[in-house]
Amino acid sequence: MADPETIDVEALDEAQARAELDRLADALSAANQAYHAADAPEISDADYDAMKRRNAAIEARFPHLKRSDSPTDMVGAAPSEGFGKITHAVRMLSLGNAFDDADVTEFDRSVRKYLGQDGPLAYTGEPKIDGLSLTIRYEGGAIVHAATRGDGAVGENVTANARTIDDIPERLTGAPEVLEVRGEVYMSHADFAALNERQAEAGAKTFANPRNAAAGSLRQLDPAITAARPLRFFAYAWGETSAPLAETQMAAIERLADLGFRTNPLTRLCEGPEALLAHYAEIEQARATLGYDIDGVVYKVNDLALQGRLGFRSTTPRWAIAHKFPAELAWTRLEAIDIQVGRTGALSPVARLAPVTVGGVVVSNATLHNEDYIAGRGADGSEIRGGKDIRIGDWVQVYRAGDVIPKVADVDLSKRPKDAAPFAFPETCPECGSEAVREEGDAVRRCTGGLICPAQAVEKLKHFVSRAAFDIEGLGAKQVEAFYEDDQLPVKEPSDIFTLRQRDADNLTKLANRDGWGETSAGNLFRAIDERREIALERLIFGLGIRHAGEVAAKDLARHYGSWEAMTQALDTARPAAEAHRAADLAAEAEREAAADEGRRARLAEARAKAMAEHAVPEEAGEAWADLIGTDGIGPTLALSLSDAFANPEERAAMDRLVAHLTPVAPEAQATNSPVAGKTVVFTGTLEKMTRAEAKARAEALGAKVSGSVSAKTDLLVAGPGAGSKATKAAELGIETIDEDGWLELIGGR
Ligand code: IVH
């Protein structure tokens, strides 16, 4: 007989299923034991999760075989944070925001433009529930697991807690074999008030608002506590499904209602933006009487086939948007302005406020952006707040919109103290005393201290260990600050993290014997660090904290270059071209400034030509530079910033020290089974069956790289009517060229 371990869940017979459930219960229990008691984990988190998933899937197929001590019911068994982790089969994304009517009209316009559709489009409009999102996976009609959104890719396993929510059916009949139902967990106003009353009576902590109460209740390690808290759930979306729910958003919501979920009764079908705005007004009117918090209205393209064509940006869908209600406002006193120094040296002013409640949350800090903002000037030099500046002692109006950091909206000049002076923005770094300069065209003043500035170094480290970068468990912002100051085990730069274990072993006083640390936590930390020696290339690039190199750009770079060596080599080769680019930019800038002065102008034009000539660049440098800025998503600003970072000897040495400890892993070519995966494609000329944006997004979804320029690296040119120089260059280089129909045939209507 075949080893049951190797058989697909669908193919197991009853005896095999029973044997598998026994084996998995033992293995999972041993893994927990090793993790907690022995501090010597024997299997990876991924293997652990896979075993738990297999166990749950078998239980879903053979519910009567579920053991009384089923691992599915072990809450918070695995990771140290208390909850197991669940990797979402389909990422849980957030929504872009619209704040006024014009944003909504623009949303509709951009959707239709992307689709190349002139006529009106139908949308659904429904309240945006102010709670926390939850996904529940059903297989064969039974709950397999439920998870919070987490970082969108990986959430927390809150299955046992979700099961205590009445609005979530335990079993579904007539549902697709696999169905992930998504929606919002929330608490009603009445239940929130009663809960806070009970909490206060018991001397326990009360919650600031229903949202916090819902989050605190769902994320309880003890499901009995969750069960005692009246949580509710509205279903409004789905993740993986083995068969489509319906053809439209509206019909899919109705299907979820038929399956037994609660769906929001204010969900309506609206033809075009005017109808959406009318529905928004209706929901806003009803807001106070709903009995639960909402913070806006969500609009979604109704046709699911069109949703599919529109797809996603990095974190938000193109087919939906949240139209937020206006932010709440409150007046309070500005007590002080502190200057914080960020990872790129930016000096950020922060308002310290007399605490005030804004929309149920106590606010005592607000961002003041930059010195122009304080002075009453916008980014383009125009007046903001009617040109009123902000002074310490002022009476200011603050607002918050959703999770956004509070901001200062207005100043009441009638209440300004007589002795209040305009705020003098510091010209030296408050942390290291280095000069702080503002570059031409930059709203931000920056500390020039670089790596000698402790604030920059600590912020860089915090960024390095952050979630989207190295995400080292047990090494958060607080620990980084402490290690930075530590005499015995200092961590001054990222590479120091990877020598911690060895340095600790060499020390007389071990980390495990320090206050706040023990054998387990120190062991866990070293293990978590070791787990990150192998690291995705894009995480490494993002983690370096280079200005302008955000998560998306890091991904683009990783995909484009494929390895750390290829990227560093290309940046080194391109350096002379980067310098020439900057020199030409500076010369052009000077020329613009001198435009009024004819005599100087001639001299400057000469200077510019000279600058360019002096920077005559080797051909290979020009090519490497063109290849870099031709990479989709990489503009000259980021390219220069990258080039500067890699050409700076101290920064480069720190990177080399770091990478010596690491094995960067190349990004997996997405959709490797597609005929264009890994190919570099250029679109040129007019496309008739889809817009350029759609063509690009679809090509990328199939694993292709889309570039704006033809070079020796181009694999395929898709040329529509009117193709010009790119087609000529492709022909010269002998690059395969096809038309739009050829492209559609190649990707097989995918
Ligand atoms: S749709 C792919 N519909 O808002 C996007 N989200 O800002 C799926 N939310 O994370 C989300 N009410 O937690 C959608 N009716 C609604 C919603 C809603 C609340 C939350 C959700 C999401 C967040 C995005």
Side-chain angles (χ1 to χ4, degrees):
M1 182 176 117
D3 185 355
E5 232 176 279
T6 61
I7 302 176
D8 279 348
V9 173
E10 285 71 25
L12 290 170
D13 65 31
E14 189 159 323
Q16 290 167 330
R18 184 174 283 120
E20 266 300 85
L21 287 178
D22 291 348
R23 179 187 72 83
L24 288 164
D26 286 346
L28 285 163
S29 148
N32 281 335
Q33 200 57 28
Y35 189 95
H36 288 293
D39 184 29
E42 288 160 359
I43 59 169
S44 70
D45 280 5
D47 288 346
Y48 182 91
D49 287 343
M51 284 206 286
K52 276 202 99 162
R53 276 199 303 274
R54 181 170 170 84
N55 184 75
I58 299 174
E59 288 175 353
R61 256 202 82 208
F62 301 98
H64 61 288
L65 294 184
K66 183 171 167 183
R67 293 164 54 115
S68 57
D69 61 347
S70 162
T72 312
D73 297 336
M74 294 187 303
V75 175
S80 55
E81 296 108 347
F83 288 104
K85 288 179 186 158
I86 287 181
T87 301
H88 302 306
V90 175
R91 269 165 61 86
M92 289 182 81
L93 298 164
S94 57
L95 293 168
N97 290 325
F99 295 102
D100 54 26
D101 294 6
D103 291 348
V104 177
T105 326
E106 172 54 26
F107 164 67
D108 170 63
R109 198 194 61 78
S110 71
V111 167
R112 287 186 298 110
K113 178 162 176 246
Y114 187 95
L115 296 170
Q117 174 160 336
D118 292 332
L121 210 55
Y123 299 89
T124 57
E126 72 205 60
K128 182 169 190 297
I129 317 298
D130 196 6
L132 66 153
S133 45
L134 179 75
T135 181
I136 311 135
R137 185 178 176 94
Y138 290 85
E139 287 180 16
I143 296 180
V144 176
H145 61 231
T148 60
R149 174 164 166 241
D151 64 2
V154 180
E156 287 173 325
N157 183 345
V158 290
T159 311
N161 295 356
R163 280 202 161 120
T164 70
I165 300 176
D166 287 344
D167 293 339
I168 296 178
E170 195 51 46
R171 293 202 64 83
L172 305 179
T173 13
E177 172 62 25
V178 174
L179 173 62
E180 286 181 8
V181 177
R182 295 181 172 176
E184 203 84 352
V185 173
Y186 68 100
M187 196 179 278
S188 75
H189 291 156
D191 290 338
F192 166 69
L195 171 64
N196 260 359
E197 210 167 292
R198 288 201 306 275
Q199 292 285 104
E201 269 167 24
K205 111 173 194 220
T206 56
F207 296 97
N209 53 47
R211 189 185 176 281
N212 287 2
S217 304
L218 185 67
R219 299 181 68 260
Q220 269 294 333
L221 282 176
D222 180 357
I225 298 183
T226 311
R229 305 252 178 100
L231 292 174
R232 296 163 192 248
F233 180 77
F234 274 128
Y236 53 65
W238 53 93
E240 189 179 349
T241 58
S242 53
L245 279 178
E247 286 181 5
T248 64
Q249 178 75 29
M250 201 66 192
I253 296 304
E254 281 158 11
R255 178 97 191 270
L256 290 177
D258 289 344
L259 288 170
F261 289 94
R262 281 206 336 123
T263 57
N264 196 289
L266 285 169
T267 309
R268 294 260 197 292
L269 194 61
C270 305
E271 282 282 334
E274 290 78 25
L276 287 176
L277 292 173
H279 189 41
Y280 174 90
E282 187 192 333
I283 293 178
E284 199 177 26
Q285 280 252 315
R287 186 179 184 188
T289 64
L290 293 177
Y292 52 86
D293 278 351
I294 62 173
D295 57 351
V297 180
V298 182
Y299 307 141
K300 300 171 186 170
V301 169
N302 189 43
D303 184 327
L304 297 184
L306 295 184
Q307 282 192 8
R309 275 180 60 193
L310 284 156
F312 300 88
R313 296 177 211 94
S314 64
T315 59
T316 56
R318 286 194 193 86
W319 44 264
I321 199 162
H323 187 177
K324 303 296 273 291
F325 290 133
E328 296 193 47
L329 297 157
W331 288 93
T332 187
R333 183 79 62 200
L334 171 61
E335 294 181 331
I337 298 178
D338 286 349
I339 303 289
Q340 289 178 348
V341 183
R343 123 184 98 80
T344 58
L347 267 48
S348 307
V350 179
R352 304 293 180 204
L353 306 163
V356 62
T357 307
V358 190
V361 173
V362 179
V363 165
S364 46
N365 302 309
T367 173
L368 291 172
H369 304 286
N370 54 53
E371 56 192 289
D372 282 350
Y373 185 84
I374 297 177
R377 284 188 303 269
D380 55 1
S382 63
E383 282 187 352
I384 52 171
R385 297 183 301 271
K388 288 181 270 183
D389 71 334
I390 298 173
R391 303 183 184 188
I392 296 167
D394 267 340
W395 192 245
V396 292
Q397 189 184 42
V398 293
Y399 68 99
R400 50 182 286 279
D403 288 333
V404 185
I405 310 162
K407 296 184 179 177
V408 173
D410 204 1
V411 184
D412 186 346
L413 293 184
S414 72
K415 293 203 171 132
R416 174 167 283 176
K418 296 253 156 354
D419 56 352
F423 181 68
F425 204 90
E427 295 187 351
T428 55
C429 171
E431 300 286 340
C432 72
S434 304
E435 198 190 349
V437 299
R438 243 184 106 167
E439 275 175 22
E440 190 70 45
D442 194 352
V444 172
R445 192 170 282 280
R446 288 174 204 279
C447 160
T448 52
L451 293 175
I452 68 143
C453 176
Q456 284 190 51
V458 170
E459 291 308 315
K460 266 191 182 307
L461 282 165
K462 284 187 195 165
H463 173 82
F464 183 81
V465 300
S466 67
R467 239 188 179 161
F470 275 64
D471 189 23
I472 298 174
E473 212 169 304
L475 194 60
K478 239 177 44 210
Q479 290 80 5
V480 160
E481 275 175 10
F483 275 120
Y484 187 81
E485 298 293 343
D486 199 297
D487 292 336
Q488 290 193 41
L489 269 181
V491 172
K492 300 285 188 197
E493 61 174 54
S495 71
D496 294 340
I497 294 172
F498 294 94
T499 57
L500 261 183
R501 189 194 276 274
Q502 185 56 49
R503 288 187 289 140
D504 185 58
D506 297 342
N507 274 350
L508 286 178
T509 317
K510 301 275 180 279
L511 183 63
N513 299 325
R514 306 250 205 113
D515 263 5
W517 289 93
E519 286 292 342
T520 313
S521 53
N524 282 346
L525 175 65
F526 295 143
R527 188 177 45 77
I529 291 172
D530 287 343
E531 275 175 10
R532 293 291 184 270
R533 287 179 196 271
E534 198 179 290
I535 187 83
L537 181 58
E538 63 261 36
R539 283 181 178 262
L540 167 60
I541 298 171
F542 175 67
L544 296 174
I546 293 166
R547 212 172 136 202
H548 306 298
E551 243 181 292
V552 177
K555 216 172 251 167
D556 290 339
L557 287 164
R559 283 226 292 161
H560 185 69
Y561 288 114
S563 76
W564 174 259
E565 291 72 26
M567 186 173 98
T568 43
Q569 206 173 41
L571 284 168
D572 290 346
T573 311
R575 184 62 189 164
E579 279 169 352
H581 183 96
R582 166 163 301 118
D585 262 4
L586 290 176
E589 182 61 34
E591 200 177 326
R592 253 196 304 281
E593 273 179 21
D597 174 348
E598 277 304 315
R600 271 189 76 204
R601 195 175 171 189
R603 269 176 281 133
L604 273 156
E606 215 172 288
R608 181 171 197 223
K610 202 162 153 244
M612 290 291 285
E614 274 169 9
H615 282 88
V617 294
E619 195 175 331
E620 54 177 29
E623 273 174 15
W625 176 253
D627 179 56
L628 173 61
I629 59 173
T631 307
D632 218 58
I634 313 291
T637 311
L638 166 60
L640 262 185
S641 169
L642 267 179
S643 180
D644 287 351
F646 278 75
N648 175 315
E650 284 91 29
E651 279 192 58
R652 180 61 168 271
M655 288 186 219
D656 290 344
R657 283 193 290 274
L658 167 67
V659 175
H661 298 287
L662 304 177
T663 313
V665 182
E668 275 174 42
Q670 288 170 4
T672 38
N673 59 353
S674 106
V676 296
K679 298 248 164 77
T680 299
V681 181
V682 175
F683 291 96
T684 188
T686 317
L687 300 180
E688 285 161 345
K689 307 226 163 82
M690 54 192 157
T691 60
R692 188 66 75 84
E694 183 178 356
K696 171 171 172 294
R698 274 172 74 187
E700 283 175 351
L702 292 169
K705 289 181 208 165
V706 177
S707 174
S709 61
V710 172
S711 76
K713 292 207 176 136
T714 309
D715 295 303
L716 184 63
L717 181 75
V718 182
S725 61
K726 287 182 191 165
T728 320
K729 184 155 183 203
E732 273 166 29
L733 293 169
I735 289 161
E736 187 186 351
T737 301
I738 56 175
D739 63 7
E740 189 180 5
D741 286 335
W743 166 256
L744 287 172
E745 201 175 309
L746 177 64
I747 62 174
R750 280 176 223 233

